[in-house]
């Protein structure tokens, strides 16, 4: 009997010790995750870097972001790796290049096998939340996106794609009923974000909140009248590289473009104010950026078009504020950052191990020690131009702090000195005076391509490699047939 009692007591003690150890480890895990900073990533759509007050634009009014630029590190030469929606978003969430993931066209399905930003941070104890435009699901633009296709985001008030800013639809978590924001979408979304921040400000767990606002992407006419009235078309400044035949249209579009920008600046300012009011500022990394730019009539390219390697298309804002930024506020970095660099840099800033297959570079040290004299080559590309850009050539290019250099399957296509020629009106290709420099830039480009096992090839090669097919008329992935129940998923991975 005594032996049985001893055995029972020993078992109880063992279970108790094991339980206490588990609780202790759980407490340590909670303590470690609680020390991690929150991340608020503000992703806008088609907001080119030049359309901001702090960037020197003489017309557009962006007081909140101008003030934020004084609190942040400013990457003046940030570029979109492929300047169009889906490719940028896939590269942002994976830290990989479009030629690696196969996500180089709009309206593809982003395969669940890819390890993403939200999944990485979630594994480190973060809560994850997403608002707004997604454009990674490939099942039509208004189809419900179930949780297993949200790439690790748990809180979810989003839609694949819509630019109806006055009645923008969205899905709320597991509710499959399509809802609509009840006011101009940047205001409605950021109000909801602020409610989330209030509810989670005192959580033990840190949070990753991605706020995907679809403005200032067209249609520009739907900007609130109050803001459009701030920009009489005839008063707006046009860049010298805007073609004569597009000047009148550019002024008209700029009125709404700037109106959306100013309204969106107000919405972003409300979020920044809420972060401060909740005393979250000193434990939160805040990023403001965009997925790509907008040509707006430059170089003879009509408004609304992107995908090209000129600065109007590839160059985007990138401001980042982080805990203990202190004396680095308002510091400038001229070295470019390209989209796949963003995820590893955020992981570096939060002391989280970077998965080995991430291709972007961890620039955390440059963010914490900003140096305007540092330079690097940032890779940009368009693997398979589509839609309005179908007749354009595929390209690979690099942006340094001074130069842009690009090649197509037919050879070099672009060589600009962006300091001496900020509107890229003097292509230096073939100029004997710059032959050595051109060769040096080509070597740098080839080195970047070698790192990811890529080379510039005709569009047909990649379409065949990934088994993609364009609609014959629109020359793009067919997303519109989903409304008629005839949509077909196209994805890098077989479904």
């Amino acid at each position: 009997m005594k032996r049985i009692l001893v055995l029972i007591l020993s078992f109880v003690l063992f279970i108790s010790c094991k339980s206490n150890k588990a609780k202790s480890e759980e407490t340590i895990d909670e303590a470690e995750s609680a020390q991690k900073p929150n991340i608020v990533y503000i992703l806008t759509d088609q907001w080119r870097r030049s359309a901001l007050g702090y960037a020197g634009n003489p017309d557009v009014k962006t007081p909140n972001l101008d003030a934020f630029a004084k609190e942040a590190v400013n990457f003046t030469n940030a570029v979109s790796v492929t300047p169009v929606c889906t490719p940028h978003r896939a590269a942002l969430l994976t830290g990989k290049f479009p030629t690696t993931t196969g996500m180089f066209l709009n309206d593809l399905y982003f395969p669940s096998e890819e390890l993403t930003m939200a999944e990485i941070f979630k594994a480190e104890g973060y809560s994850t939340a997403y608002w707004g435009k997604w454009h990674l699901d490939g099942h039509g633009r208004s189809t419900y996106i179930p949780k297993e296709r949200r790439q690790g985001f748990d809180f979810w008030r989003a839609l694949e794609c819509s630019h109806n800013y006055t009645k923008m639809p969205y899905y709320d978590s597991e509710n499959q009923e399509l809802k609509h924001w009840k006011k101009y979408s940047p205001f409605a979304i950021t109000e909801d974000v602020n409610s989330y921040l209030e509810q989670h400000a005192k959580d033990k767990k840190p949070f990753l909140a991605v706020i995907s606002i679809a403005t200032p992407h067209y249609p520009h006419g739907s900007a609130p009248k109050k803001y459009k009235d701030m920009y009489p078309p005839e008063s707006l400044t046009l860049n010298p590289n805007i073609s004569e035949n597009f000047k009148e249209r550019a002024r008209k579009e700029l009125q709404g473009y700037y109106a959306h920008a100013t309204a969106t600046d107000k919405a972003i300012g409300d979020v920044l104010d809420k972060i401060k009011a909740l005393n979250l500022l000193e434990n939160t990394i805040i990023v403001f950026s965009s997925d790509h730019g907008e040509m707006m009539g430059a170089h003879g390219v009509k408004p609304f078009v992107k995908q090209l390697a000129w600065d109007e298309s590839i160059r985007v804002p990138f401001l980042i504020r982080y805990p203990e930024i202190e004396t680095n506020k308002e510091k400038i970095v001229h070295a470019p950052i390209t989209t796949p660099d963003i995820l590893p840099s955020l992981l570096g800033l939060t002391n989280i191990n970077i998965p080995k297959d991430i291709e972007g570079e961890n620039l955390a040290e440059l963010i914490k020690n900003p140096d305007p004299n540092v330079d690097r080559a940032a890779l940009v590309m368009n693997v398979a131009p589509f839609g309005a850009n179908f007749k354009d050539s595929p390209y690979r290019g690099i942006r340094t702090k001074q130069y842009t250099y690009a090649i197509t399957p037919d050879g070099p296509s672009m060589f600009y000195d962006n300091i001496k020629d900020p509107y890229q009106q003097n292509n230096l290709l073939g100029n004997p005076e710059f032959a050595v420099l051109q060769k040096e830039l080509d070597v740098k480009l080839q080195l970047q391509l070698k790192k990811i096992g890529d080379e510039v090839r005709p569009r047909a090669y990649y379409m065949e490699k990934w088994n993609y097919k364009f609609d014959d008329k629109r020359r793009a992935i067919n997303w519109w047939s989903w409304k008629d129940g005839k949509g077909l998923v196209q994805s890098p991975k077989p479904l």
Side-chain angles (χ1 to χ4, degrees):
M1 190 69 178
K2 285 182 180 179
R3 189 175 298 174
I4 293 171
L5 287 171
V6 169
L7 286 171
I8 292 171
L9 182 61
S10 298
F11 179 74
V12 169
L13 287 172
F14 172 76
I15 294 297
S16 176
C17 289
K18 192 170 183 181
S19 175
N20 288 336
K21 183 182 178 183
K23 287 180 181 178
S24 176
E25 288 176 350
E26 186 177 322
T27 302
I28 292 169
D29 287 344
E30 283 185 2
E32 286 179 353
S33 65
Q35 292 172 2
K36 300 285 188 188
N38 306 307
I39 298 173
V40 174
Y41 196 102
I42 303 166
L43 176 64
T44 57
D45 196 343
Q46 203 149 312
W47 199 333
R48 60 185 187 177
R49 199 257 175 186
S50 62
L52 290 142
Y54 73 82
N57 188 294
D59 297 329
V60 70
K61 298 170 179 63
T62 51
N64 294 289
L65 287 166
D66 296 351
F68 182 59
K70 294 179 179 179
E71 295 285 317
V73 175
N74 179 3
F75 278 75
T76 64
N77 290 309
V79 292
S80 176
V81 64
T82 295
V84 71
C85 296
T86 299
H88 175 93
R89 291 156 193 267
L92 172 65
L93 293 187
T94 61
K96 298 178 184 179
F97 286 86
T99 45
T100 300
T101 62
M103 296 294 292
F104 52 80
L105 299 169
N106 268 1
D107 298 291
L108 296 172
Y109 168 59
F110 187 29
S112 59
E113 290 88 345
E114 290 287 357
L115 182 64
T116 67
M117 177 189 289
E119 291 166 336
I120 295 169
F121 280 101
K122 191 174 174 180
E124 294 292 328
Y126 278 70
S127 300
T128 58
Y130 195 97
W131 291 263
K133 178 178 173 179
W134 180 242
H135 216 169
L136 288 167
D137 191 59
H139 289 70
R141 294 190 173 185
S142 59
T143 303
Y144 174 73
I145 302 171
K147 191 169 186 177
E148 62 269 19
R149 299 209 305 260
R150 297 175 194 163
Q151 303 294 344
F153 287 101
D154 290 329
F155 183 95
W156 182 262
R157 286 186 181 154
L159 185 86
E160 175 71 348
C161 181
S162 173
H163 292 285
N164 183 352
Y165 305 126
T166 57
K167 194 180 179 182
M168 180 169 283
Y170 72 98
Y171 288 99
D172 184 357
S173 297
E174 308 314 306
N175 187 346
Q176 297 188 33
E177 178 187 353
L178 192 65
K179 296 185 176 184
H180 294 83
W181 296 111
K182 294 182 179 179
K183 58 174 68 174
Y184 180 66
S185 60
F187 296 156
I189 288 170
T190 51
E191 282 182 11
D192 199 76
V193 169
N194 284 348
S195 295
Y196 177 92
L197 294 176
E198 287 175 352
Q199 293 168 20
H200 294 272
K202 295 182 180 179
D203 285 0
K204 291 182 180 179
K205 296 172 65 175
F207 56 79
L208 165 68
V210 177
I211 310 164
S212 177
I213 303 173
T215 46
H217 189 289
Y218 64 85
H220 300 140
S222 61
K225 183 178 184 301
K226 168 185 173 181
Y227 294 96
K228 285 197 291 186
D229 288 346
M230 297 168 67
Y231 299 104
E234 66 277 5
S235 71
L236 300 178
T237 307
L238 295 183
N239 291 339
N241 62 0
I242 293 183
S243 305
E244 191 65 36
N245 59 321
F246 283 127
K247 285 185 176 180
E248 183 178 350
R249 184 177 174 189
R251 280 197 172 92
K252 180 182 177 182
E253 296 300 337
L254 280 171
Q255 179 187 37
Y257 186 67
Y258 288 163
H260 277 315
T262 300
T264 307
D265 174 85
K266 166 66 168 64
I268 292 170
D270 289 345
V271 172
L272 297 176
D273 287 345
K274 179 62 70 174
I275 290 170
K276 293 173 185 175
L278 294 171
N279 296 316
L280 293 171
L281 188 63
E282 297 311 321
N283 192 38
T284 302
I285 296 169
I286 307 170
V287 178
F288 162 68
S289 192
S290 176
D291 57 359
H292 53 78
E294 150 78 75
M295 291 304 297
M296 197 61 76
H299 306 288
V301 181
K302 66 182 179 181
F304 305 163
V305 172
K306 43 268 187 184
Q307 297 193 43
L308 301 163
W310 280 300
D311 270 1
E312 287 83 3
S313 174
I314 66 169
R315 200 170 173 212
V316 294
F318 192 86
L319 299 176
I320 182 165
R321 191 193 192 283
Y322 54 91
E324 300 179 359
I325 190 171
E326 298 174 350
T327 58
N328 287 333
K329 293 177 181 179
E330 208 173 359
K331 290 285 182 69
I332 297 292
V333 176
H334 295 307
I337 182 172
T338 189
T339 316
D341 299 326
I342 297 170
L343 174 56
S345 299
L346 292 175
L347 296 174
L349 288 171
T350 50
N351 295 314
I352 294 174
N353 290 332
I354 299 171
K356 291 181 180 179
D357 61 348
I358 280 182
E359 295 173 321
E361 185 178 344
N362 174 12
L363 301 181
E365 286 305 311
L366 184 57
I367 293 169
K368 291 188 288 187
N369 300 283
D371 183 348
N373 298 310
V374 169
D375 199 7
R376 63 193 296 266
L379 184 61
V380 294
M381 61 176 64
N382 193 341
V383 177
F386 62 90
N389 295 86
F390 183 76
K391 293 182 180 179
D392 295 315
S393 295
Y395 65 83
R396 306 292 187 276
I398 52 169
R399 184 70 159 74
T400 70
K401 70 178 184 178
Q402 183 164 0
Y403 300 105
T404 296
Y405 176 75
I407 62 175
T408 73
D410 296 323
S413 60
M414 186 180 285
F415 176 18
Y416 294 107
D417 183 332
N418 301 312
I419 293 177
K420 294 180 180 178
D421 178 24
Y423 297 104
Q424 299 177 317
Q425 294 174 288
N426 181 24
N427 196 337
L428 301 174
L429 282 179
N431 188 324
E433 186 179 347
F434 298 98
V436 173
L437 178 56
Q438 181 179 328
K439 180 63 177 175
E440 290 173 356
L441 291 170
D442 192 78
V443 170
K444 288 182 179 180
L445 171 57
Q446 296 301 330
L447 180 61
Q448 294 300 315
L449 296 178
K450 185 176 180 182
K451 284 181 182 178
I452 61 170
D454 184 31
E455 58 182 303
V456 62
R457 292 175 181 262
R459 170 176 43 220
Y461 170 83
Y462 290 95
M463 295 294 286
E464 184 177 346
K465 175 181 177 180
W466 296 95
N467 196 30
Y468 298 150
K469 288 182 172 57
F470 284 151
D471 172 78
D472 291 336
K473 291 183 179 179
R474 299 199 195 182
R475 306 291 190 178
I477 299 295
N478 184 338
W479 54 267
W480 49 93
S481 289
W482 285 88
K483 291 183 178 180
D484 302 322
K486 299 177 182 178
L488 295 174
V489 177
Q490 296 197 51
S491 175
K493 300 280 186 182
L495 300 181

